[in-house]
Every structure is written in C-alpha cells, then in structure tokens.
C-alpha cells in the first residue's frame, strides 16, 4: 500500500527529516489538497519517492541494501550510517521553493476551500515553515 507523508526537513548538513511527519490520507483529500497547492505554484508541495532518497552508489538513485520506513516515529538522518542521500534527492532538494515564498503561498490557501483534515495539514505546514523547516511530500510505496 502506498502512503504519503507530509514531512519537515529540519536540517541539511546532514539532511534530517523530522520525526513529526504526518501520514496524509485519505488519498482523495490529499489529491485535492495538492491540486490547490499546485494552482498557487507547481512546486509548492513537491513530491518525491522515499525509496529514491537513498543511494548505495553515487551513480544510482535508490538502494537495494537499506530500506526507509517512514512509519517509525523518529527523525531520519542521512549521515551515511545507515542512510546515504542520493544525487537525485540532492537535485530535488535544490529545486524547493524558498521558505518565505512557500509560507506566502501556503498561507494564501483559503480555509473555506479546505476540509477539516486539509486545514490541519495546512496549519502544520505553516508551523514547520515558521520553525525554519522546508516541507516536502514523500511517497512511500508498499512492500
């Protein structure tokens, strides 16, 4: 089963994905939320496959040696022990919007266009941005 995680990036050197990520379901609500976000800017809620964050080799995106499980309630640190960040992930992260621009765009999402679950996602996204975190959506494919 595929799961989607709204995820704060709490550090870049090394990359640290925050432990307080949120599993976004149901998919229909997430799709509608992403559509609203993409109307503001196509890269506002950028999505990346979690499995491609890892690398066993600098030439390859993805890992056959280590699996990433985002359901554990702990931060994920890409410091080489055991997780190595792939060059695909680095390129993805380089394209994220600046926090101020993202905050302006997210805060412009009208609550009246959102349901209660989507408002929770929006408000958490804004809190993370205010704390200095970038925010991404990770897709974790079922095994």
């Amino acid at each position: 089963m595929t799961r989607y995680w709204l995820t704060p990036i709490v550090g870049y050197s090394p990359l640290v994905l925050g432990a307080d990520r949120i599993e976004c379901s149901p998919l229909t609500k997430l799709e509608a939320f992403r559509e609203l976000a993409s109307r503001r800017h196509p890269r506002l809620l950028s999505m990346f496959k979690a499995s491609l964050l890892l690398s066993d080799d600098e030439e390859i995106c993805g890992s056959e040696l280590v699996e990433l499980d985002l359901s554990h309630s702990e931060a994920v640190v890409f410091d080489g022990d055991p997780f190595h960040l792939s060059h695909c992930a680095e390129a993805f992260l380089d394209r994220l919007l600046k926090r101020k621009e993202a905050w302006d765009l997210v805060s412009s999402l009208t609550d009246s266009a959102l349901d209660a679950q989507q408002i929770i996602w929006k408000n958490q996204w804004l809190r993370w941005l205010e704390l200095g975190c970038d925010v991404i959506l990770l897709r974790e494919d079922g095994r």
Side-chain angles (χ1 to χ4, degrees), residues 15 52-55 78-80 83-87 89-90 93:
L15 181 73
L52 296 181
L53 288 168
L54 304 171
S55 179
F78 291 84
D79 61 359
F83 302 123
H84 293 276
L85 190 63
S86 72
H87 70 279
E90 290 174 359
L93 295 171

Side-chain angles (χ1 to χ4, degrees), residues 50-57 61-69 76-85 140 143:
S51 63
L52 296 181
L53 288 168
L54 304 171
S55 179
D56 296 331
D57 179 315
C61 292
S63 174
E64 294 181 12
L65 304 176
V66 181
E67 289 188 17
L68 192 60
D69 183 357
V76 179
V77 181
F78 291 84
D79 61 359
D81 186 25
F83 302 123
H84 293 276
L85 190 63
E140 183 180 39
R143 295 175 204 5

Side-chain angles (χ1 to χ4, degrees), residues 103-119:
W103 192 91
D104 290 343
L105 292 166
V106 174
S107 61
S108 75
L109 294 172
T110 311
D111 284 356
S112 62
L114 305 172
D115 70 16
Q117 184 63 51
Q118 294 166 330
I119 289 171

Side-chain angles (χ1 to χ4, degrees), residues 85-105:
L85 190 63
S86 72
H87 70 279
C88 298
E90 290 174 359
F92 168 78
L93 295 171
D94 286 343
R95 296 196 48 193
L96 294 178
L97 298 177
K98 300 293 182 212
R99 258 177 243 119
K100 170 72 170 111
E101 183 179 7
W103 192 91
D104 290 343
L105 292 166

